[in-house]
Amino acid sequence: MGKKELRDEKVNGRVETVLQLVKKHSPLTVKQEKFCNNACVKRFLSAKGDNVKKAAKHLRACLSWRESIGTENLIADEFSAELAEGVAYVAGHDEESRPVMIFRIKQDYQKFHSQKLFTRLLVFTLEVAIGTMPKNVEQFVLLFDASFFRSASAFMNLLLAALKIVADYYPGRLYKAFVIDPPSMFSYLWKGVRPFVELSAATMVVSSLDFEESLEFNHFASYPRASSLRFDPSSIKSTTKIGSCSSSRFSFTVSHHFDSVKPWYLTLTDISASKVGPTSPSPSGPALLSPLNARSLSFASPAARTPRGNIRMRKSLFPSTPLPQRSKASESIKANHPRTPRPSFLQSPALFFRRDYNASTKTEKSRESFSPFLKFYRRPYNEMIYRSMMRPPLGGLISNGKRRHMSYRNGSRQKKS
């Protein structure tokens, strides 16, 4: 016997032990025995770390919860209003044949409906999705459209209730859960609650604006506003640079004529008394101003605002301990080196909209994970297609009547032929 066969025998033995413990507590009905198949018990075992007693206890609690909810009695006629509006439905199947469910619940839904009704709607949608799964598929995908919510706390309560039901009573079923366009404060609440949520690793927050082609910022420099604020040193011809300090934090255009609209103007000849750099004249003639060396005095450092020639030594506060005199050698050694400027919005606004600068790896991963399910999110809702996915008795009287009508028509056609 190979290793795989031995492993399968161990797993099957644990499954039988769990079923014996569950049946020992109370006998199972026919529908409960159908629910507790080998795949279901294996999921409960993997959720509890292959602990037989914990898995049996968890499965027993799940069976009692399903009986209290009445999952066997759920039909579509109970949620006729929700089905008409497309509040919760199965949008289709992905490439791996996993069902994709979309929940577009409005904020006012909880005001007019009880928590029990929302739980029944969630369970009904999950049961419909599970009914559409092929034999080799065991997981589903959840898409929560939070764009209808204005309150982050209200949507957080709804999301946590849904994730808790999926984690407790549908273990191992969730593949991915996406929260789309949540309120602005949701990210802060989610950061605090996430460590205590069991399915937080499979839950991602995405924004639909990241997938709009008109709002892509890859070619942000092509916009006129961004290109006007971005400074290109190669486009300006400057023959002489004043001093060793060069700053590109502020970009502006040098005007050759007086402009009365602006509060100040610049000329090509440097005539100011206080400026960044030495005051000695340049041997090549009058210095020229350019965006590389000119700085506004309101943003300059105190040392730069003070002329270099008028620097006086500060008087000592303690006359008994006179300060040593500054030598010329120390003055030559201690030179004011320019501080490296931090990236500013005025320097280049396109830098802050680039994906590789501001977007984290988690955001990129969530975008890549959500991209295969974007078509389901944008696809319009069709009630008839969703009702056709429901197997009896979930479809209710309407779908069952249609199935009987179609079978009657097919039978009459066969008799005529």
Side-chain angles (χ1 to χ4, degrees):
M1 296 178 65
K3 294 182 179 180
K4 187 176 181 181
E5 295 178 356
L6 292 173
R7 191 181 305 166
D8 293 341
E9 284 187 0
K10 290 182 180 179
V11 172
N12 293 333
R14 291 172 183 171
V15 169
E16 292 178 0
T17 307
V18 170
L19 290 176
Q20 290 177 2
L21 292 175
V22 172
K23 292 178 181 179
K24 187 178 180 180
H25 183 267
S26 60
L28 300 179
T29 61
V30 177
K31 293 182 179 179
Q32 287 179 348
E33 287 183 356
K34 186 179 179 181
F35 175 76
C36 297
N37 52 18
N38 291 340
C40 176
V41 179
K42 287 179 182 178
R43 287 194 298 270
F44 278 87
L45 277 170
S46 61
K48 294 301 179 181
D50 293 335
N51 192 321
V52 176
K53 293 183 178 180
K54 290 183 179 180
K57 184 179 179 180
H58 192 187
L59 182 57
R60 203 161 43 234
C62 179
L63 291 175
S64 60
W65 175 81
R66 290 175 67 88
E67 187 177 356
S68 64
I69 291 294
T71 55
E72 308 299 337
N73 302 323
L74 291 174
I75 57 176
D77 299 337
E78 184 180 351
F79 313 102
S80 57
E82 287 80 359
L83 294 180
E85 296 179 2
V87 176
Y89 61 96
V90 180
H93 297 76
D94 63 354
E95 296 178 355
E96 302 295 333
S97 300
R98 289 183 290 257
V100 181
M101 287 168 281
I102 298 180
F103 293 89
R104 287 195 169 101
I105 301 175
K106 298 182 180 180
Q107 185 172 345
D108 299 336
Y109 182 84
Q110 293 179 319
K111 295 181 180 179
F112 303 103
H113 302 82
S114 61
Q115 183 67 24
K116 185 177 180 180
L117 184 61
F118 167 71
T119 304
R120 290 178 66 84
L121 175 63
L122 175 64
V123 173
F124 172 79
T125 311
L126 294 176
E127 292 295 327
V128 173
I130 293 172
T132 61
M133 287 182 180
K135 292 183 179 180
N136 299 328
V137 178
E138 296 183 354
Q139 293 181 321
F140 49 71
V141 181
L142 299 179
L143 305 182
F144 293 95
D145 188 1
S147 59
F148 297 99
F149 277 81
R150 299 177 300 274
S151 173
S153 59
F155 178 74
M156 179 64 72
N157 295 333
L158 184 142
L159 178 65
L160 293 180
L163 292 179
K164 181 174 177 56
I165 291 174
V166 174
D168 292 345
Y169 307 114
Y170 296 90
R173 288 286 194 181
L174 181 64
Y175 174 69
K176 292 288 183 182
F178 296 96
V179 180
I180 308 169
D181 297 335
S184 57
M185 295 297 294
F186 176 81
S187 58
Y188 301 99
L189 297 177
W190 178 247
K191 187 180 291 185
V193 176
R194 184 171 183 174
F196 307 99
V197 180
E198 185 176 351
L199 298 177
S200 60
T203 307
M204 299 181 180
V205 181
V206 296
S207 175
S208 61
L209 297 179
D210 297 336
F211 300 91
E212 295 291 338
E213 296 179 357
S214 59
L215 296 179
E216 288 287 342
F217 298 107
N218 292 333
H219 305 285
F220 194 80
S222 61
Y223 290 86
R225 177 63 178 167
S227 59
S228 63
L229 290 177
R230 172 170 283 190
F231 172 66
D232 188 7
S234 61
S235 62
I236 297 179
K237 298 179 181 180
S238 177
T239 57
T240 309
K241 186 171 67 173
I242 301 176
S244 61
C245 179
S246 62
S247 174
S248 60
R249 282 188 289 178
F250 305 99
S251 57
F252 49 86
T253 305
V254 178
S255 60
H256 298 275
H257 56 85
F258 179 75
D259 192 355
S260 60
V261 178
K262 296 182 180 180
W264 52 272
Y265 71 101
L266 296 175
T267 59
L268 291 176
T269 307
D270 185 15
I271 58 174
S272 58
S274 61
K275 56 183 175 294
V276 182
T279 56
S280 60
S282 176
S284 60
L288 298 179
L289 286 176
S290 71
L292 292 174
N293 49 40
R295 297 179 65 180
S296 175
L297 294 179
S298 60
F299 292 94
S301 60
R305 289 198 297 263
T306 307
R308 296 294 178 92
N310 298 331
I311 298 178
R312 297 179 180 179
M313 185 177 295
R314 183 180 177 183
K315 292 183 179 181
S316 176
L317 298 177
F318 305 98
S320 59
T321 56
L323 293 175
Q325 294 183 358
R326 183 180 296 178
S327 60
K328 295 182 180 180
S330 62
E331 289 182 0
S332 60
I333 294 173
K334 295 181 180 179
N336 266 340
H337 297 284
R339 186 179 61 181
T340 304
R342 294 182 179 180
S344 171
F345 184 84
L346 296 175
Q347 177 184 356
S348 178
L351 185 66
F352 289 86
F353 292 99
R354 286 170 53 187
R355 287 186 175 182
D356 56 352
Y357 181 83
N358 202 15
S360 60
T361 56
K362 292 184 179 179
T363 308
E364 292 293 335
K365 287 182 180 179
S366 62
R367 288 175 182 173
E368 293 177 1
S369 302
F370 180 67
S371 57
F373 308 103
L374 181 63
K375 58 182 179 181
F376 300 102
Y377 175 71
R378 292 180 175 176
R379 184 181 299 171
Y381 170 68
N382 193 330
E383 182 182 358
M384 299 304 297
I385 295 177
Y386 178 45
R387 284 184 177 271
S388 64
M389 299 180 185
M390 302 177 187
R391 294 182 179 180
L394 293 174
L397 299 177
I398 299 176
S399 60
N400 292 338
K402 288 182 179 179
R403 285 191 176 92
R404 290 175 183 175
H405 180 65
M406 293 297 294
S407 62
Y408 174 76
R409 290 180 60 185
N410 294 334
S412 61
R413 288 179 181 176
Q414 290 178 2
K415 289 181 180 179
K416 288 181 181 179
S417 61

